[in-house]
Amino acid sequence: MQGQPHIQTGARVAPPAVSAAARRFGVLPMPNLAWTPEVARETAHLYEKVKQIIPPVEWPFHAPYVKAINALKKERNAVILAHNYQTPEIYNCVADVVGDSLQLAKLAAKSDADIIIQGGVHFMAETSKLLNPDKTVLIPDSRAGCSLAESITGADVRALRQRYPGVPVVAYVNTSADVKAEVDICCTSSNAVKVVESLGADTVIFLPDRFLAANVARQTKVKIIAWRGACEVHERFTADELKRYRADDPSITILAHPECPPEVVDVSDFAGSTAAMIDYVKAKKPRRVLMVTECSMADNVATETQGVEFVRPCNLCPHMKRITLPKILDSLVYLKEEVTIEPGLAARARRSVQRMIDLV
Ligand code: 13P
Ligand code: SF4
């Protein structure tokens, strides 16, 4: 039978993987993504918001996705929560809610949408799922990780508890649900000192960011035992590079995220969460600002603050940048990628997040 194609009878072809969410809500047809005069007209008001950041030649690539995503969000009763590090076209044109980790966690708790799409990294999507166990939470790319969250496991926390019996454990929200399930309370960069002091202990284990831990330790009498993790974006900034900017322009305003090393914070005029940095610029309107944080922050603040000049010695967070408009559209059409957490573990992790939310 030489030359005959080999046909394997009875062979089973695996059906395409359909997620539980897709079975619940159904898959929709992919919308037409052509750049047409109608798309240009319907998205013109959104381009106005980003025209200082996105050149006109790029808008035809974004606009069909922006239109399709905004239409499908309504059809699906979905909401997009976007962290301040998301790209300007996501932050300004499709997000329903933007903010720092604490704001997103609080708003996730209040959402009445059927579907939450997380514009951010995986631990943020897990936090949304913890606070919305009955809702469908999707992350457009589940590989969007975080060097802090990846630096520690639940088993590491159990080992710390054995080594320091009776010492309470505070976890930065940049941790997995597995870790949150083992700790006493969570914190974010905007409430870390308050959370540490709320425990009424002389000594507290603070994980996983050694630089945030060091910055907190300088603001409290509580003794801090730190884990050795670091943010791969913020650990790269150096005090020397900031001093050079300051020498070139002594009146420049330097804002740093507290995930930066303490010596970088020392050279800055202000250190705070991403939302606190945005509030600072909006309130004080400095002439020239240096944002010591992820690149998209300056772009996003610039769209909201005319007349402020931004200097961008920025580092990209490769995890945040995995989230794109095409992947958000895929999430809405195919309901992927669904975030699930084992219910027993989720109940323990939720307690740590909720305890923080109740405190602040
Ligand atoms: P914020 O809570 O300040 O937004 O920080 C989250 C984060 O991942 C910063 O790198
Ligand atoms: Fe994690 Fe740093 Fe990226 Fe924030 S910027 S998500 S802390 S790696």
Side-chain angles (χ1 to χ4, degrees):
M1 300 288 279
Q2 251 181 358
Q4 292 285 325
H6 176 74
I7 298 169
Q8 202 182 0
T9 52
R12 300 183 64 169
V13 178
V18 177
S19 69
R23 279 196 294 275
R24 244 182 348 272
F25 294 102
V27 168
L28 294 172
M30 181 55 78
N32 179 0
L33 294 167
W35 167 244
T36 61
E38 188 201 350
V39 173
R41 213 172 33 250
E42 287 184 22
T43 58
H45 65 293
L46 294 170
Y47 186 60
E48 269 305 296
K49 289 167 83 177
V50 291
K51 66 180 184 198
Q52 315 160 243
I53 304 296
I54 299 179
V57 68
E58 281 181 22
W59 186 242
F61 294 96
H62 296 309
Y65 286 96
V66 167
K67 178 175 181 286
I69 289 168
N70 286 330
L72 283 189
K73 266 192 328 192
K74 286 196 193 119
E75 192 169 341
R76 292 285 201 193
N77 189 25
V79 71
I80 298 179
L81 309 184
H83 184 260
N84 292 325
Y85 292 164
Q86 291 292 282
T87 51
E89 65 279 7
I90 294 175
Y91 182 93
N92 291 284
C93 303
V94 301
D96 298 284
V97 167
V98 293
D100 67 6
S101 305
L102 180 63
Q103 291 169 325
L104 294 183
K106 282 183 158 172
L107 290 159
K110 288 189 191 141
S111 169
D112 56 8
D114 293 324
I115 297 169
I116 294 173
I117 298 185
Q118 197 79 36
V121 293
H122 195 261
F123 76 80
M124 295 177 176
E126 275 192 340
T127 306
S128 292
K129 182 66 185 174
L130 290 174
L131 297 171
N132 293 277
D134 300 328
K135 295 206 163 97
T136 297
V137 176
L138 305 174
I139 180 152
D141 188 332
S142 62
R143 295 168 303 168
C146 168
S147 64
L148 283 170
E150 275 137 40
S151 73
I152 187 162
T153 64
D156 292 325
V157 183
R158 290 194 291 277
L160 279 170
R161 285 210 190 267
Q162 277 185 354
R163 184 158 167 208
Y164 302 102
V167 178
V169 184
V170 176
Y172 192 27
V173 280
N174 297 38
T175 45
S176 63
D178 183 39
V179 166
K180 289 184 174 84
E182 299 292 338
V183 305
D184 295 286
I185 187 167
C186 288
C187 75
T188 69
S189 57
S190 60
N191 59 29
V193 176
K194 189 169 180 187
V195 167
V196 163
E197 294 188 338
S198 76
L199 297 169
D202 300 338
T203 307
V204 162
I205 297 170
F206 188 98
L207 54 89
D209 186 348
R210 65 177 186 275
F211 293 130
L212 181 60
N215 287 318
V216 168
R218 300 193 311 170
Q219 298 173 62
T220 179
K221 290 199 170 70
V222 179
K223 184 174 169 236
I224 305 282
I225 299 170
W227 186 249
R228 56 178 178 273
C231 162
E232 67 188 79
V233 174
H234 292 93
E235 71 176 343
R236 301 211 305 267
F237 293 108
T238 67
D240 282 348
E241 95 187 267
L242 300 193
K243 282 179 192 160
R244 281 196 294 275
Y245 281 105
R246 183 80 87 195
D248 281 351
D249 178 359
S251 72
I252 197 164
T253 300
I254 303 182
L255 309 182
H257 194 277
E259 288 169 12
C260 293
E263 60 275 16
V264 167
V265 170
D266 283 343
V267 186
S268 309
D269 297 293
F270 175 79
S273 76
T274 55
M277 291 163 105
I278 294 175
D279 290 347
Y280 185 104
V281 177
K282 283 186 181 164
K284 305 216 174 202
K285 298 219 166 47
R287 181 185 62 83
R288 206 157 175 248
V289 178
L290 190 117
M291 287 283 203
V292 190
T293 189
E294 211 275 339
C295 305
S296 289
M297 267 284 289
D299 290 344
N300 292 334
V301 195
T303 61
E304 296 171 350
T305 46
Q306 308 297 322
V308 178
E309 185 195 340
F310 289 89
V311 181
R312 298 169 160 90
C314 64
N315 292 330
L316 263 179
C317 173
H319 313 290
M320 288 279 179
K321 268 43 205 184
R322 282 192 183 276
I323 310 300
T324 60
L325 288 178
K327 288 184 197 167
I328 292 175
L329 181 60
D330 276 358
S331 285
L332 280 161
V333 170
Y334 304 116
L335 281 307
K336 62 180 205 181
E337 306 181 31
E338 187 169 8
V339 177
T340 55
I341 308 171
E342 190 277 312
L345 181 107
R348 289 189 292 131
R350 186 177 310 118
R351 216 173 31 221
S352 308
V353 179
Q354 193 60 52
R355 195 171 166 195
M356 167 188 77
I357 290 179
D358 293 343
L359 183 76
V360 293

